[in-house]
């Protein structure tokens, strides 16, 4: 069994840490929020005094933090994990962050001879709790092989995406497509309704025709056709508008950095930004159908 340092015990990290503890690993845990740290200690972790302290004398460090600036600070600032970690410590960052921060921090780790992977997830809080997350992993093949046994405990599908930063690239490209797909699906259901076609009839036809996509068949934004979709539960998340907006901003930033044309990604970011600015950032992202119908 390994000694794990776990930093960032929020909505996702708290459950992920708990699954590692349940599997029998020992853990030094840290979060800036005392109640999050208390929960991890109640589940069997030892409280570290700081993020750096959690990175000392452990076999593997796992971070689940809000954004790139937190990841840079925890790993790469003077006195940070890269400086204090023992030789051979494996570093796994599962936060969703910008590709450049992931590549910069990985390069700083490599300079010290430390293996690091970026391993963002999809699957949400439910997947974190159930240990069924999907991990998209960037880093060397060796680092991936070392990380996989830990990721297997927290997730179900573990994909190797290539070199450093490629896990983040896979994550934001997927979520950009999801954001665009949800808007397209919403527009189609709204237009169908105005033309006198009810949602169920349109769903039955389009879900077996060429308009079929995940946003329609698994997460339909119109109430009715897919009983488990948030549309049937007042658009409670699920995956909140503000989370989608974060990922669309990361995609835009990445596209600009490499000169890629992503006009629909750009428009999607503007539309989700409008929904968030009108006070609906906590709604499930499929709730954009209501804004597009002029009902929000
Ligand atoms: P969260 O805000 O609930 O948790 C983040 C935690 O990090 C907080 O408890 C915060 O106190 C802690 N933290 C911040 N800076 C710190 C520092 N310097 N040292 C120690 N702790 C620090 O967020 P979350 O929902 O758990 O998401 C974490 C990451 O996972 C984000 O990058 C998010 O985009 C990504 N993600 C979230 C979901 C989801 O459904 N929530 C799904 C996929 C990916």
């Amino acid at each position: 069994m390994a000694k794990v340092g776990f930093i960032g015990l929020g909505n996702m990290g708290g459950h992920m840490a708990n699954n590692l503890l349940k599997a029998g690993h020992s853990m030094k845990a840290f979060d800036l929020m005392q109640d999050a740290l208390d929960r991890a200690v109640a589940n069997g972790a030892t409280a570290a005094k700081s993020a750096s302290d959690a990175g000392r004398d452990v076999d593997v460090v796992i971070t689940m933090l809000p954004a790139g600036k937190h990841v840079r600070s925890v790993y790469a600032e003077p006195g940070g994990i890269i400086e204090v970690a023992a030789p051979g410590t494996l570093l796994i960052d599962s936060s969703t962050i910008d590709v450049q921060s992931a590549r910069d921090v990985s390069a700083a780790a490599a300079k010290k001879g430390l293996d690091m992977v970026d391993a963002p997830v999809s699957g949400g809080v439910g997947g974190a709790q159930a240990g069924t997350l999907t991990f998209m992993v960037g880093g060397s093949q060796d680092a991936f092989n070392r990380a996989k046994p830990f990721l297997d405990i927290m997730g179900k599908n573990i994909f190797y995406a290539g070199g450093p930063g490629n896990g983040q690239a896979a994550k934001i490209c997927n979520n950009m497509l999801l954001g665009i797909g949800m808007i397209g699906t919403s527009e189609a259901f709204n237009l169908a309704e105005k033309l006198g076609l009810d949602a169920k009839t349109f769903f039955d036809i389009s879900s077996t025709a060429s308009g079929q996509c995940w946003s329609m068949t698994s997460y339909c934004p119109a109430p009715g056709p897919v009983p488990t979709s948030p549309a049937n539960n007042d658009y409670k998340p699920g995956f909140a508008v503000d989370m989608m907006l974060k990922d669309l901003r990361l995609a835009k930033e990445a596209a600009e950095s490499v000169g890629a044309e992503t006009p629909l990604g750009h428009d999607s970011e503007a539309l989700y930004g409008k929904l968030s600015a009108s006070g609906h950032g906590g709604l499930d992202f499929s709730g954009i159908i209501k804004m597009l119908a002029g009902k929000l």
Side-chain angles (χ1 to χ4, degrees):
M1 284 296 143
K3 285 187 276 181
V4 179
F6 204 112
I7 300 144
L9 304 156
N11 292 320
M12 297 290 288
H15 292 301
M16 293 160 70
N18 195 26
N19 284 331
L20 291 165
L21 287 164
K22 281 199 275 187
H25 294 299
S26 64
M27 184 176 292
K28 282 167 82 178
F30 184 70
D31 195 291
L32 295 174
M33 306 292 288
Q34 190 61 42
D35 59 340
L37 186 52
D38 290 346
R39 272 194 297 277
V41 170
N43 289 333
T46 304
K49 292 184 201 67
S50 63
S52 299
D53 182 35
R56 268 193 204 97
D57 304 321
V58 291
D59 303 306
V60 54
V61 172
I62 302 174
T63 43
M64 194 55 172
L65 297 163
K69 64 179 179 194
H70 308 98
V71 173
R72 283 179 182 274
S73 132
V74 160
Y75 281 105
E77 274 182 2
I81 287 168
I82 290 174
E83 197 175 300
V84 305
T89 308
L90 172 66
L91 311 178
I92 301 175
D93 177 43
S94 281
S95 327
T96 299
I97 66 169
D98 58 290
V99 175
Q100 197 53 52
S101 291
R103 292 190 171 148
D104 288 350
V105 175
S106 171
K111 253 192 189 164
K112 278 262 326 230
L114 297 170
D115 278 343
M116 178 161 197
V117 293
D118 50 289
V121 304
S122 74
V125 177
Q129 185 164 17
T132 56
L133 293 168
T134 293
F135 283 89
M136 295 153 255
V137 188
S140 71
Q141 183 75 55
D142 277 355
F144 173 75
N145 293 344
R146 289 182 64 197
K148 189 160 182 304
F150 298 100
L151 305 181
D152 279 333
I153 293 167
M154 301 181 283
K156 197 166 74 173
N157 297 308
I158 321 295
F159 291 107
Y160 181 54
N166 279 21
Q168 300 295 349
K171 163 89 186 174
I172 58 167
C173 290
N174 179 72
N175 280 19
M176 182 180 80
L177 181 56
L178 175 63
I180 294 169
M182 184 54 79
I183 291 170
T185 305
S186 297
E187 287 187 0
F189 274 94
N190 283 341
L191 178 60
E193 188 187 356
K194 290 238 167 184
L195 295 173
L197 197 55
D198 68 75
K200 179 73 171 73
T201 306
F202 176 61
F203 177 88
D204 288 345
I205 296 167
S206 193
S207 65
T208 49
S210 49
Q212 185 272 339
C213 63
W214 187 90
S215 293
M216 178 183 290
T217 54
S218 295
Y219 215 83
C220 187
V226 176
T228 52
S229 77
N232 301 304
N233 191 23
D234 290 332
Y235 297 95
K236 290 202 183 79
F239 187 55
V241 167
D242 281 346
M243 302 281 257
M244 173 52 82
L245 187 55
K246 171 188 169 180
D247 292 352
L248 287 168
R249 285 182 174 147
L250 290 174
K252 184 170 121 184
E253 202 181 307
E256 282 167 3
S257 77
V258 292
E261 291 293 333
T262 54
L264 292 181
H266 200 271
D267 288 354
S268 302
E269 189 230 330
L271 288 167
Y272 279 106
K274 187 174 161 201
L275 183 54
S276 175
S278 66
H280 297 99
L283 209 61
D284 184 78
F285 82 113
S286 61
I288 197 145
I289 193 171
K290 291 178 74 176
M291 184 184 91
L292 294 169
K295 292 179 185 161
L296 276 181

